[in-house]
Amino acid sequence: MLARVYSSSVLGIDPYIVEVEVNIEYQAFRYTTVGLPEAAVRESKERVISAIKNSGFRFPPKNYTVNLAPADVKKEGSAFDLAIAVGILAALGYVDYQKLQKFVMLGELALDGTLRDVKGALPISVGVRESEYGGLILPAQNAREAAITNDVEVIPVHNLLEAVQFLNNQLDIPPMVVDVEALFAEKQNYALDFLDVKGQSHVKRALEVAAAGGHNVIMIGPPGSGKTMLAKRFASILPQLTLDEALETTKIHSVAGVANTSNGIVATRPYRAPHHTISDAALVGGGRIPRPGEVSLAHHGVLFLDELPEFQKNVLEVLRQPLENSEVTISRATLSLTYPANFILIAAMNPCPCGYLTDPKHECTCSSPYIQKYMARISGPLLDRIDIHIEVPAISFDELSSKEQGESSEMIRERVQRARDRQHARFEHRKNLFANADMAPKDIRTICRLDSASAALLKTATEQLGLSARAYDRILKVSRTIADLSEDENIKVEHLSEAVQYRSLDRQLWMA
């Protein structure tokens, strides 16, 4: 007796169909799973057998062989449980074989036959939509997420028995339907707002420039000056996610197993703030079976690294590729995976180990060599990839007690959106170029042209600050963004002057 059912899995964030073949022979009891199964797949034997028995079906002692094809790709995770169980029941004659061929099935089985949610429901649903199969049977907890693709018949089931009854036309289960646009609009709200921030008007301005051009930022200031508070609210002034961006971001979160299945979609810009003890594999992705790291989970959003010098040096250095290429490539002996990682980096640090070097009210207790060693933890090449360096001073009592309210995130976001619209129009015919921060050197030469006064100012700043060639390009990019915020076609001296100020904490000047 042979039965064939279909399941699916993901490789990176790309789905692929897995053919589950079950063969039963009249021999002594034996249960074998082949097709490069990892430990969780091999352990499905106990879950599947218990689930079948506890769902009221007879499980005769025969020779069971389960094959997962393609056999040359490693299968991992518990999402194949439902397909294997249904395949066994089909081979035993409990399931209508004709309807079985129309659906892809996934879900983890509990010992009593109930289904638990699985990872990767959204990308798998996208893969089913592009395949020859008509629908997807999966745990009810994942149905809202999978139904976002709209063109797939998503059948939510709670247990193995429901799946069998549906396939045998004994139970009518309506497909899950989600109004994606209404759901997307409903969830596009941020809990935090720039209205909560007292003072720090120049820092808010720098963050507005960063949001408008997609620039990376480092904030340097004493403890309690508001660096973390500002960073947490930065996502709220970025342009709203488009639906395509939201779907791409949700796919990554789904594969990593951090998606909110009740929401179904990531509708706001992600904000990720890993601790400084994080490993390089956890930051950029990896592991024995590669998974997306924090930089990919921050795709289309914000990655906040607090206490930047406290991160391991090797961890910071692996940031170079995603900062430069907006993607991460993880290579193994048998495969190479690429995850998207287009994020804005917001970094924060103290000016010295004790934190009070620039605080007028507290005395710094750090020696000069100690400060130099502390600053040296951040390499020059990494610092060059950060467009905006801004000093965040301690907040005075008058600022804290002031009843005057600043601008809301919505007001700032409107200006940011207008600046982004100008950039989209400018880069309309350029592939993979959406914001000023993405400009290559050849784009800078044609788009960021300077008049004689601006060129003289930039020459003086470059010589005095000892800026690298990359820092020179960064200044031009930031000045172009400032001009876009001012709705000016050309870069003026005042735009360039402001951009130069955002490099005032560049390495050589700061150490001097």
Side-chain angles (χ1 to χ4, degrees):
M1 294 176 287
L2 175 67
R4 183 179 289 108
V5 298
Y6 301 96
S7 187
S8 184
S9 188
V10 291
L11 198 60
I13 60 172
D14 299 319
Y16 66 97
I17 298 297
V18 176
E19 190 174 302
V20 180
E21 297 175 310
V22 179
N23 185 59
I24 302 177
E25 297 179 350
Y26 289 94
Q27 296 176 7
F29 176 71
R30 186 180 178 187
Y31 187 111
T32 307
T33 304
V34 296
L36 286 183
E38 291 288 326
V41 182
R42 291 194 299 270
E43 291 173 355
S44 67
K45 167 188 171 182
E46 310 300 335
R47 295 191 297 271
V48 167
I49 293 175
S50 295
I52 289 175
K53 291 180 178 178
N54 289 323
S55 297
F57 300 102
R58 183 171 172 269
F59 187 84
K62 299 178 182 179
N63 184 2
Y64 297 83
T65 302
V66 178
N67 178 43
L68 305 176
D72 60 342
V73 179
K74 283 187 177 181
K75 317 301 186 307
E76 59 90 23
S78 55
F80 302 115
D81 288 6
L82 178 61
I84 293 172
V86 171
I88 290 174
L89 293 174
L92 292 172
Y94 289 112
V95 179
D96 178 6
Y97 197 77
Q98 184 176 2
K99 193 173 182 179
L100 191 62
Q101 304 304 301
K102 299 178 182 178
F103 289 91
V104 171
M105 289 173 281
L106 62 149
E108 177 186 335
L109 285 170
L111 297 182
D112 63 353
T114 58
L115 283 169
R116 297 191 175 106
D117 60 321
V118 294
K119 300 177 183 178
L122 178 58
I124 288 173
S125 179
V126 172
V128 171
R129 181 182 62 184
E130 298 169 355
S131 70
E132 59 189 271
Y133 307 99
L136 180 63
I137 300 175
L138 79 173
Q141 303 95 307
N142 293 113
R144 192 176 178 88
E145 175 188 337
I148 290 174
T149 51
N150 281 333
D151 298 330
V152 177
E153 185 181 359
V154 176
I155 306 299
V157 293
H158 296 88
N159 52 58
L160 176 60
L161 183 59
E162 279 189 11
V164 172
Q165 290 175 337
F166 170 78
L167 291 169
N168 289 335
N169 296 315
Q170 298 170 343
L171 178 66
D172 182 29
I173 302 178
M176 173 66 73
V177 178
V178 173
D179 187 341
V180 179
E181 293 186 358
L183 175 66
F184 188 56
E186 177 189 348
K187 301 298 181 181
Q188 281 192 318
N189 296 313
Y190 292 91
L192 303 176
D193 197 285
F194 262 67
L195 275 174
D196 306 328
V197 182
K198 298 286 188 179
Q200 307 293 20
S201 57
H202 72 294
V203 185
K204 293 179 186 176
R205 167 64 178 178
L207 293 179
E208 179 181 339
V209 172
H215 303 288
N216 301 316
V217 180
I218 183 169
M219 297 183 287
I220 304 182
S225 56
K227 303 185 294 296
T228 301
M229 187 177 189
L230 288 159
K232 286 182 176 179
R233 286 155 177 77
F234 181 74
S236 67
I237 66 172
L238 291 171
Q240 295 282 21
L241 272 176
T242 65
L243 185 55
D244 288 341
E245 289 175 336
L247 289 173
E248 186 177 17
T249 304
T250 305
K251 283 172 63 176
I252 299 170
H253 285 229
S254 178
V255 169
V258 297
N260 187 332
T261 53
S262 62
N263 288 347
I265 190 170
V266 177
T268 57
R269 299 276 176 184
Y271 170 81
R272 305 294 298 184
H275 192 259
H276 63 258
T277 56
I278 191 171
S279 67
D280 52 356
L283 184 64
V284 300
R288 184 176 57 86
I289 299 170
R291 283 280 182 261
E294 290 291 334
V295 297
S296 295
L297 294 174
H299 184 55
H300 291 314
V302 181
L303 178 68
F304 177 51
L305 301 183
D306 200 6
E307 304 295 347
L308 188 66
E310 301 300 330
F311 285 78
Q312 294 291 329
K313 196 172 185 68
N314 65 303
V315 173
L316 293 179
E317 293 308 305
V318 297
L319 278 174
R320 291 194 198 179
Q321 184 201 6
L323 286 175
E324 203 69 30
N325 303 328
S326 298
E327 63 181 22
V328 172
T329 301
I330 302 169
S331 298
R332 295 290 182 268
T334 57
L335 81 162
S336 180
L337 300 176
T338 298
Y339 293 112
N342 185 12
F343 59 90
I344 296 179
L345 173 66
I346 305 294
M349 61 179 291
N350 295 329
C352 65
C354 77
Y356 296 112
L357 178 63
T358 58
D359 192 338
K361 296 183 179 179
H362 295 84
E363 183 179 355
C364 175
T365 59
C366 305
S367 63
S368 181
Y370 196 26
I371 296 174
Q372 291 181 6
K373 184 178 179 181
Y374 177 77
M375 295 297 294
R377 296 178 186 176
I378 307 171
S379 68
L382 176 62
L383 202 60
D384 279 344
R385 285 170 170 81
I386 300 176
D387 300 351
I388 295 176
H389 307 169
I390 188 70
E391 189 172 1
V392 185
I395 305 174
S396 67
F397 175 79
D398 291 339
E399 290 175 315
L400 283 174
S401 59
S402 173
K403 305 244 189 254
E404 182 180 349
Q405 281 194 327
E407 290 182 303
S408 67
S409 293
E410 185 177 359
M411 296 170 64
I412 301 172
R413 186 169 60 243
E414 288 176 359
R415 294 196 297 268
V416 168
Q417 185 63 64
R418 287 197 297 270
R420 284 289 183 105
D421 291 341
R422 294 174 66 87
Q423 293 165 53
H424 291 163
R426 183 185 303 130
F427 303 136
E428 184 178 4
H429 302 295
R430 296 172 185 264
K431 187 178 179 181
N432 298 325
L433 194 55
F434 306 104
N436 289 332
D438 302 326
M439 288 191 292
K442 64 177 181 179
D443 300 311
I444 296 173
R445 287 193 295 271
T446 57
I447 295 172
C448 302
R449 292 177 178 171
L450 304 178
D451 56 25
S452 56
S454 299
L457 174 63
L458 185 55
K459 179 182 178 181
T460 302
T462 303
E463 292 174 350
Q464 290 186 358
L465 296 179
L467 300 178
S468 67
R470 186 178 281 114
Y472 174 89
D473 288 346
R474 291 319 198 235
I475 288 176
L476 289 175
K477 290 180 183 181
V478 173
S479 60
R480 179 63 265 173
T481 299
I482 296 169
D484 288 335
L485 282 169
S486 302
E487 301 185 356
D488 288 321
E489 289 297 326
N490 300 314
I491 298 174
K492 299 179 180 178
V493 171
E494 57 266 30
H495 305 145
L496 196 62
S497 298
E498 184 178 351
V500 170
Q501 290 179 20
Y502 297 144
R503 301 297 300 193
S504 63
L505 299 182
D506 215 345
R507 221 177 148 76
Q508 293 186 17
L509 178 65
W510 182 253
M511 292 309 301

